[in-house]
Amino acid sequence: MIRRRSLLASAAAGLGAPLVGAAPAAPAAKPLLPQLRIYIPGGAGGGWDQTGRTLGATMQALGLVEKVEYENKGGKGGTLGLADFVARFDKDPAALLVGGMVMVGALAIGDSKASLSQVTPLARLTNDYLAVCTLPGSPYTDLRALVARLREQPASVAFTGGSLGSVDHMLVGMMLRHLQQDVAKMQYLPGTSAKESIAMMDAGKAQVLIAGLGEVKADLAAKRLVPLGVSARRALRGIPALSSAGVPLELANWRGVFGPANAPAPARALLQELVQRTADSALWNDTLKEHDWFPALAVGDAFRQALEIDQSIATVVAHMLKLRA
């Protein structure tokens, strides 16, 4: 267990450079691929970046892939990266695109020419509940204080989080709507990662951060951030549920991977097998616990069906909350 965790920690720490040559913890009889590209349509250190690099490190540790290269391109909820991936890797037999509900939301509110119909859904991997956080010394000492402020002066609270249309953005709109406030008064500043959003808070541009619990785990542990609430049904990791302050909302952010739509069928099948075998491993399950990610595995057709439902929900919520790019 210790060796597995140290291996993944050291691999995932290399955010600025490709991961190559990690020693396998439980090597496969033969690698499925000699080389794999994992395309991350978000900034370094963000939730997609953590997911993509940890997934690649696990594949190497299992001996399923010999070499993994990473590429980051953030912006507009992942839709810029999606369009770039389609343009450059549409037929690549050894390329994966990381994505999730954030991208679904961004596509629902934006004018992107890219579409998830241009990639192949391979697997949903994880769910991550959203943490509502502030900085130490904030006037919002607990969740009830924040809710009271939103009831009185919703426009006075500046939120930050993921891109426009992301689940972070949607959660703020849903909170205001539940409190019977005008969603048009929402102040929301999008960022490409929790790191960027924290910088906005440090600069006084925002007071409250919405981010995946796993994404801000280290900042919470270091007391860099103060947790106020979590978007789960019940208290989680000692953080009260939003319902404890009279806002009974539950919302989770899933992350998964997609393949090129026009790669040869055998290559797409091999990519799906690669992801499936990784997600089924004890090593990946250890990683989920380490990051506080909740398993939400859905592969192939099951993922496609769930994705269609999520796309419909995102379109309805974006319209209801009047979210626009």
Side-chain angles (χ1 to χ4, degrees):
M1 177 73 71
I2 293 175
R3 169 149 179 80
R4 285 178 174 181
R5 291 194 174 185
S6 62
L7 172 63
L8 289 179
S10 60
L15 297 179
L19 274 169
V20 294
K30 181 181 179 181
L32 294 181
L33 286 173
Q35 183 166 325
L36 176 71
R37 176 180 298 275
I38 296 181
Y39 193 107
I40 302 164
W48 285 343
D49 194 58
Q50 292 177 2
T51 301
R53 291 177 187 272
T54 303
L55 181 68
T58 306
M59 289 173 172
Q60 283 186 289
L62 293 171
L64 296 172
V65 176
E66 291 181 0
K67 180 180 179 181
V68 182
E69 295 183 352
Y70 303 89
E71 183 171 346
N72 290 74
K73 183 181 180 66
K76 295 190 176 181
T79 60
L80 293 183
L82 171 62
D84 187 48
F85 180 86
V86 171
R88 296 168 55 206
F89 304 111
D90 183 50
K91 298 180 180 180
D92 194 319
L96 291 177
L97 170 73
V98 179
M101 191 62 188
V102 169
M103 185 181 290
V104 174
L107 289 169
I109 72 164
D111 56 358
S112 173
K113 295 180 180 179
S115 166
L116 288 176
S117 65
Q118 297 172 295
V119 290
T120 301
L122 296 178
R124 183 186 66 202
L125 296 171
T126 66
N127 265 336
D128 197 9
Y129 287 101
L130 306 176
V132 181
C133 307
T134 190
L135 295 177
S138 166
Y140 309 118
T141 54
D142 57 26
L143 186 59
R144 291 186 180 277
L146 173 62
V147 170
R149 185 66 171 179
L150 290 175
R151 289 185 188 276
E152 296 169 0
Q153 293 181 293
S156 68
V157 182
F159 289 85
T160 182
S163 62
L164 296 175
S166 67
V167 287
D168 308 342
H169 190 190
M170 288 183 179
L171 182 62
V172 179
M174 292 166 70
M175 289 173 66
L176 290 179
R177 186 176 175 88
H178 181 82
L179 295 172
Q180 298 182 335
Q181 298 298 321
D182 185 356
V183 177
K185 295 181 179 180
M186 182 199 315
Q187 279 203 68
Y188 186 85
L189 301 174
T192 60
S193 67
K195 181 179 179 181
E196 181 179 341
S197 290
I198 291 172
M200 292 183 194
M201 296 170 72
D202 284 334
K205 296 179 181 178
Q207 298 86 46
V208 181
L209 166 66
I210 310 290
L213 188 55
E215 189 175 355
V216 294
K217 179 181 178 181
D219 295 293
L220 294 173
K223 301 189 184 304
R224 181 81 178 80
L225 292 172
V226 177
L228 299 178
V230 66
S231 65
R233 184 172 302 178
R234 301 180 182 85
L236 194 61
R237 313 291 190 255
I239 305 172
L242 296 179
S243 58
S244 68
V247 187
L249 297 174
E250 182 180 0
L251 189 62
N253 179 23
W254 61 262
R255 299 187 181 112
V257 285
F258 301 80
N262 291 309
R268 285 182 278 127
L270 185 63
L271 287 172
Q272 183 167 304
E273 180 186 354
L274 173 63
V275 176
Q276 174 93 59
R277 288 176 61 175
T278 304
D280 285 341
S281 70
L283 182 54
W284 178 252
N285 288 325
D286 289 344
T287 302
L288 295 180
K289 296 174 184 176
E290 187 175 347
H291 286 274
D292 280 337
W293 293 338
F294 292 83
L297 184 63
V299 180
D301 288 340
F303 180 33
R304 290 185 188 90
Q305 292 168 11
L307 181 60
E308 290 175 1
I309 294 172
D310 285 341
Q311 288 175 307
S312 297
I313 292 173
T315 299
V316 171
V317 172
H319 176 74
M320 180 179 67
L321 300 179
K322 302 176 183 178
L323 302 179
R324 295 290 184 272

